[in-house]
Amino acid sequence: MRMLMRVSIPVETGNAAAKAGTLGSTIERILNDLKPEAVYFYADDHGQRSGSIIFDMKDSSEIPAFAEPWFFAFNAKVSFRPIMNLQDLAKAGPSIDKAADQYGK
């Protein structure tokens, strides 16, 4: 299942890693292990260094493999959300139609 993982690194932890020269290399090492489909970085609504990481999760037992590196390396906050691309949404069309027929009255 395609998932969106959002990661927020506390400012103090990110600053310490940046000063130590390890911020970028640690993020790169984590992402190399995770092999995501796409990654985007930004400052979140709380002013923290953040990223949105899109990847394929085969089983919920993989959650620790994706989250723990961020917890240990940066004391980061992590959230997961299932997502769809345009092709997934197109495949879901019959289910949407069925729900509309059954419950949309």
Side-chain angles (χ1 to χ4, degrees), residues 82-103:
I83 59 172
M84 295 185 287
N85 64 18
L86 187 57
Q87 292 80 18
D88 297 331
L89 184 59
K91 287 175 19 183
S95 296
I96 296 168
D97 293 343
K98 181 179 176 183
D101 288 344
Q102 290 180 336
Y103 303 103

Side-chain angles (χ1 to χ4, degrees), residues 56-90:
D56 186 48
M57 182 184 291
K58 306 284 186 236
D59 188 86
S60 60
S61 66
E62 294 178 295
I63 290 173
F66 285 96
E68 293 295 337
W70 299 101
F71 295 150
F72 281 110
F74 299 112
N75 195 33
K77 291 183 180 178
V78 176
S79 66
F80 293 89
R81 182 166 294 157
I83 59 172
M84 295 185 287
N85 64 18
L86 187 57
Q87 292 80 18
D88 297 331
L89 184 59

Side-chain angles (χ1 to χ4, degrees), residues 14-26:
N15 287 351
K19 288 177 185 177
T22 60
L23 179 67
S25 61
T26 302

Side-chain angles (χ1 to χ4, degrees), residues 15-65:
N15 287 351
K19 288 177 185 177
T22 60
L23 179 67
S25 61
T26 302
I27 290 172
E28 186 175 354
R29 197 167 75 238
I30 293 170
L31 293 175
N32 283 339
D33 289 343
L34 300 180
K35 299 180 181 16
E37 177 182 321
V39 181
Y40 302 94
F41 297 101
Y42 50 91
D44 70 13
D45 293 340
H46 304 287
Q48 296 182 340
R49 293 172 178 94
S50 299
S52 290
I53 303 163
I54 299 169
F55 65 97
D56 186 48
M57 182 184 291
K58 306 284 186 236
D59 188 86
S60 60
S61 66
E62 294 178 295
I63 290 173

